[in-house]
Amino acid sequence: MWIQNLKLNKFRNYLFQNIEFNKNINIFLGDNAQGKTNLLESIYYLANAKSFKSFRDKDLIMFNEKEMGLEGTIRKGESFKNVQISVKENKKDIFVNEIKYDKNKDLKSLFKLVLFTPEDLNIIKDGPNFRRDLIDDIIISVNFSYKSLKKDFEKILSQRNKLLKNQRSKYFKTELMAFDQQIIRLNYKIYRFREKYISLINTYANKNHLNLTENKENLTIIYKPSIRANSVEEYGEKFSENILDDLKYFRTTSGSQRDEIDIIINGKDTKKFGSQGQQRSAILNIKLANVNLIENTSQDKAIILFDDVFSELDEKRSNFLLENLGKFQTIITATNTKSLDGVDRSKIRKIKDGHIK
């Protein structure tokens, strides 16, 4: 699967741009603030009907304009899908082969993306929520039902925490029991999802890491759930053991929002003992595992986006990525050709002031 072309109309700093893509490597060079990230954002939006940068659709409309539009052709063998998205004020319309789509999630079945950003390279250094989000995003990419599960859980968690801050409520105990029944069930499902998929991600990520390090380093993702259980009943019993802490601290102190995920190389925690190079290698190989997982679960190939990541990598890691992504459509933005010396120069185009040449 690959994106053949894309038309941008009043999207960010692009007044109008028509882009034809190669089936494999595509490189776009440009200085900062010229539109490199905006280009990748438009591709991401075409696949997800939402941005990876902005929460509001109207922020994507060019300054002083009232609407924007995207249109792209997605190819899979001899078949194709024409995707059109327009945003005007607070209204968004989505059409696929001229049929209107009412829900963003419908686009997920058309094509899958794996996005690499410079911020990803700091996931190990950052808090545990970033590593949970990394794993959860990978799960969603191959099992979209997990997104609804997470959304339901976050809603109940927020309501339960709000109730714990109002313990003098007349119906506090009754409401808490009702919330607990729901949150225990959702927590247990998330726990089982993470347990299953972390095991799969581990297999691919370690294989990638062994290849990169010439079999010198083993990469392991260790899942440390807040609660371990063999059944929803056991999970509920252990969750209820923390009620005194919940009442004391006015918040939910156990559950999947407290899960820890450690990333280990040769038995050592990379957050505490890993070099910057090891930390970056670990994240890259986990993201590559996402690509592998999509291919092996859906029998399709993801489209891969690199937002100015290669400038942060040394030659060895850059070459490793390029060698392992040859069979996938890969779209790369960069400020220069450093670490991209081995790429066919005909694959390189330039971006300046919202124009691609």
Side-chain angles (χ1 to χ4, degrees), residues 117-124 279-280 283-284 309 312-313:
T117 71
E119 290 75 23
D120 292 334
L121 301 177
N122 295 319
I123 287 174
I124 290 178
Q279 292 175 349
R280 290 179 171 181
I283 291 300
L284 288 172
V309 171
E312 302 291 329
L313 304 177

Side-chain angles (χ1 to χ4, degrees), residues 17-18 53 68 70 81 101 158 173 175 188 229 239 296 315 335 345 349 352:
Q17 184 72 53
N18 187 8
K53 291 174 57 183
M68 75 82 176
L70 297 174
K81 300 284 187 182
Y101 273 38
S158 176
K173 289 185 178 180
E175 291 178 335
Y188 183 68
F239 181 85
N296 283 281
E315 184 178 356
T335 54
R345 308 299 290 185
R349 280 169 279 182
K352 186 176 182 179

Side-chain angles (χ1 to χ4, degrees), residues 20 74 108 118 171 188 194 288 292 296 337-338 343 357:
E20 297 288 332
I74 313 303
K108 290 286 185 180
Y171 303 104
Y188 183 68
R194 286 177 177 169
L288 278 178
N292 304 139
N296 283 281
T337 56
K338 179 184 177 183
V343 175
K357 298 179 180 179

Side-chain angles (χ1 to χ4, degrees), residues 5-9 16-19 46 69-73:
N5 56 54
L6 177 65
K7 295 178 182 177
L8 291 78
N9 185 12
F16 179 79
Q17 184 72 53
N18 187 8
I19 311 153
L46 195 73
L70 297 174
E71 181 177 355
T73 303

Side-chain angles (χ1 to χ4, degrees), residues 139 142-143 193-202 293:
I139 297 173
V142 294
N143 192 326
F193 262 103
R194 286 177 177 169
E195 187 177 52
K196 172 185 174 180
Y197 280 99
I198 286 175
S199 176
L200 293 172
I201 295 165
N202 252 324
L293 194 58

